[in-house]
Amino acid sequence: MTRTVTDVICPFCGTLCDDLEVVVSDDGKELHEVYNACAIGAEKFLHSQAKDRITRPRMRQEDGSWKEISYDEAIEYTATMLAEAKKPLMYGWSSTNCEAQAVGSEIGEAVGAVMDNTATVCHGTSLIAVQDIGIPSCTLGEVKNRADRILFWGCNPAHAHPRHMSRYSIFPRGFFTGKGHTGRKMIVVDPRPTDTASMADIHLQIEQGRDYELLNALRVAFKGEKLPDVVAGIPKEKIYEAAETLKSGRFAIIFFGMGVTQSLGKNHNIDEAIAVTRDLNEYTKAAIMPMRGHYNVTGSGQVWGWQFGFPYAVDLSRGFARYNPGETTSNDLLRRDEVDAVFVLGSDPGAHFPFSSVKKIYNLPSVVIDPHETPTSEVCKVHVPVAFVGVEVGGCAYRMDNVPIETRKVVDAPEGMMTDEEFLKRVLGRVKEIKGV
């Protein structure tokens, strides 16, 4: 016999879809089917049932082979490594719950670590821009119910956030958007002809790295001032058309991704995008929102904001919180050989960092906490598998619009497996014993 768990939260991307239905066995030990999820979200749930899943910690030997160790041994290695390091890097924190992030922050404070999350290679520039000039934003619920002008800039939600358009931004019928997608106008700014761009009413195929120029041109076009014939590869007629389309709506929203946060200009691009939103508010209601990737990278920034006052790249090595992106960010520290141990939880720098940084991690004492086998687990000295957050254990996560949502447990973890929070609490206790605090 089976039972269906409804209103399950998907722990894949920052959209945090909350309408999944999961079929599990009566005893809660097996997961059979997942409904309403995108292909990636469904695979995350089903992967928890993989026959070849690693369920016990393991330590890499000198010849490259793995030796299974107990959780107690993994806790001892991790605590000793962090306590003895002069300046450990504790990276990741974007695919776990806020409760684990809070315990991890206590460890970081106890050992004088540098705490950094995946925003460092993603939306960190957005956070700098928000600190510079603030952000006029809204919730995804307001987008669904009010927005009739949607602008996607440097992002491809059709692939990266597969249900974003159907749940909130393009297709759903809301309270004031009863016609669904037929009542909305969609603009995409992207140098690539993506699947999202193929659905747009206006596709501005910008030249790579010239986002700042086009953003500035939109501000000029809003005021009806003269533009050069071509800006950033876009004819001026098309820029005027996009500007008028945005001004003519009742509620406009700009969603932006790494195509603009990590291109030339970086945080200054986002400064200008926020200025575009501010200007647009002179004609209609407008808001702007980053498309966050990992499902709880937003929560990581929130937790550290409460505890340290900064959302990422927090250096605790001097006994107080410092923050200076470019100096205290993970890749800069690794390249300058400024850290002497690496702890990774809830991310995969082995897949996303430059080769030079991954090589440094390989040569340092290192631990990765992850239910999956990843490129990072292949370069770290110890790999500790844990229960899937949002599948085998609940906890708080923040959606991309900064709305906190409680994720749900739907199935039991394999017998004897620890959760992120349990493992971190044990490590924190042992660190305090070693340091005598």
Side-chain angles (χ1 to χ4, degrees), residues 262-329:
Q262 296 299 320
S263 68
L264 293 175
K266 295 204 170 185
N267 57 299
H268 297 297
N269 289 337
I270 313 308
D271 285 345
E272 195 66 5
I274 294 171
V276 166
T277 312
R278 185 183 61 207
D279 287 0
L280 198 52
N281 270 290
E282 295 180 11
Y283 307 96
T284 184
K285 175 68 178 172
I288 183 169
M289 190 183 300
M291 297 285 279
R292 307 305 298 268
H294 292 73
Y295 74 87
N296 198 27
V297 61
T298 309
S300 174
Q302 290 278 355
V303 170
W304 293 352
W306 308 329
Q307 297 187 329
F308 305 126
F310 307 112
Y312 75 110
V314 184
D315 184 349
L316 303 166
S317 62
R318 297 185 186 179
F320 57 89
R322 291 173 62 242
Y323 165 76
N324 191 13
E327 179 194 346
T328 58
T329 31

Side-chain angles (χ1 to χ4, degrees), residues 147-152 183-188 200-204 218 221-222 236-254 276 280 283-286:
D148 58 352
R149 298 292 184 269
I150 317 292
L151 171 55
F152 290 113
R184 292 185 168 102
K185 293 288 185 183
M186 179 179 172
I187 302 172
V188 171
D201 295 287
I202 301 173
H203 176 203
L204 302 179
L218 274 176
F222 287 156
K236 65 179 181 182
E237 294 79 11
K238 216 164 181 181
I239 298 172
Y240 283 124
E241 181 190 359
E244 288 304 314
T245 301
L246 289 168
K247 285 166 63 178
S248 65
R250 288 180 288 114
F251 189 116
I253 174 76
I254 300 172
V276 166
L280 198 52
Y283 307 96
T284 184
K285 175 68 178 172

Side-chain angles (χ1 to χ4, degrees), residues 102-373:
V103 180
S105 301
E106 283 190 68
I107 298 174
E109 217 166 356
V111 301
V114 177
M115 306 291 291
D116 201 6
N117 61 35
T118 54
T120 196
V121 289
C122 184
H123 275 284
T125 52
S126 308
L127 298 168
I128 294 170
V130 172
Q131 289 168 333
D132 285 345
I133 58 175
I135 185 168
S137 197
C138 64
T139 66
L140 287 175
E142 287 181 272
V143 172
K144 175 184 174 182
N145 288 298
R146 295 180 182 277
D148 58 352
R149 298 292 184 269
I150 317 292
L151 171 55
F152 290 113
W153 197 305
C155 55
N156 184 15
H159 288 200
H161 301 79
R163 298 188 70 215
H164 188 279
M165 290 190 288
S166 61
R167 290 270 299 159
Y168 297 110
S169 52
I170 302 297
F171 299 108
R173 298 182 180 196
F175 193 83
F176 300 106
T177 53
K179 294 181 180 178
H181 74 282
T182 59
R184 292 185 168 102
K185 293 288 185 183
M186 179 179 172
I187 302 172
V188 171
V189 180
D190 202 310
R192 308 162 301 170
T194 62
D195 286 336
T196 304
S198 68
M199 292 186 279
D201 295 287
I202 301 173
H203 176 203
L204 302 179
Q205 197 160 3
I206 186 175
E207 289 179 359
Q208 179 72 38
R210 300 183 69 182
D211 302 270
Y212 191 94
E213 291 172 57
L214 184 57
L215 286 161
N216 200 261
L218 274 176
R219 298 183 68 188
V220 173
F222 287 156
K223 300 179 188 305
E225 302 290 343
K226 288 185 179 178
L227 285 172
D229 291 341
V230 177
V231 178
I234 312 290
K236 65 179 181 182
E237 294 79 11
K238 216 164 181 181
I239 298 172
Y240 283 124
E241 181 190 359
E244 288 304 314
T245 301
L246 289 168
K247 285 166 63 178
S248 65
R250 288 180 288 114
F251 189 116
I253 174 76
I254 300 172
F255 291 107
F256 63 97
M258 288 178 64
V260 61
T261 66
Q262 296 299 320
S263 68
L264 293 175
K266 295 204 170 185
N267 57 299
H268 297 297
N269 289 337
I270 313 308
D271 285 345
E272 195 66 5
I274 294 171
V276 166
T277 312
R278 185 183 61 207
D279 287 0
L280 198 52
N281 270 290
E282 295 180 11
Y283 307 96
T284 184
K285 175 68 178 172
I288 183 169
M289 190 183 300
M291 297 285 279
R292 307 305 298 268
H294 292 73
Y295 74 87
N296 198 27
V297 61
T298 309
S300 174
Q302 290 278 355
V303 170
W304 293 352
W306 308 329
Q307 297 187 329
F308 305 126
F310 307 112
Y312 75 110
V314 184
D315 184 349
L316 303 166
S317 62
R318 297 185 186 179
F320 57 89
R322 291 173 62 242
Y323 165 76
N324 191 13
E327 179 194 346
T328 58
T329 31
S330 299
N331 280 304
D332 300 284
L333 292 164
L334 287 165
R335 284 173 186 156
R336 294 196 303 263
D337 292 319
E338 285 190 23
V339 291
D340 51 358
V342 177
F343 174 94
V344 179
L345 187 151
S347 74
D348 187 10
H352 303 116
F353 277 12
F355 177 73
S356 57
S357 296
V358 178
K359 197 174 175 184
K360 295 287 174 63
I361 296 173
Y362 179 82
N363 290 323
L364 288 170
S366 52
V367 175
V368 59
I369 315 298
D370 202 307
H372 306 92
E373 285 183 85

Side-chain angles (χ1 to χ4, degrees), residues 359-415:
K359 197 174 175 184
K360 295 287 174 63
I361 296 173
Y362 179 82
N363 290 323
L364 288 170
S366 52
V367 175
V368 59
I369 315 298
D370 202 307
H372 306 92
E373 285 183 85
T374 66
T376 304
S377 71
E378 294 306 308
V379 299
C380 284
K381 304 291 185 294
V382 170
H383 174 207
V384 183
V386 284
F388 282 81
V389 176
V391 180
E392 296 166 341
V393 60
C396 180
Y398 275 72
R399 209 167 57 185
M400 65 169 67
D401 55 356
N402 288 297
V403 173
I405 294 177
E406 192 70 15
T407 62
R408 300 183 64 182
K409 170 186 172 180
V410 294
V411 68
D412 291 339
E415 191 174 345

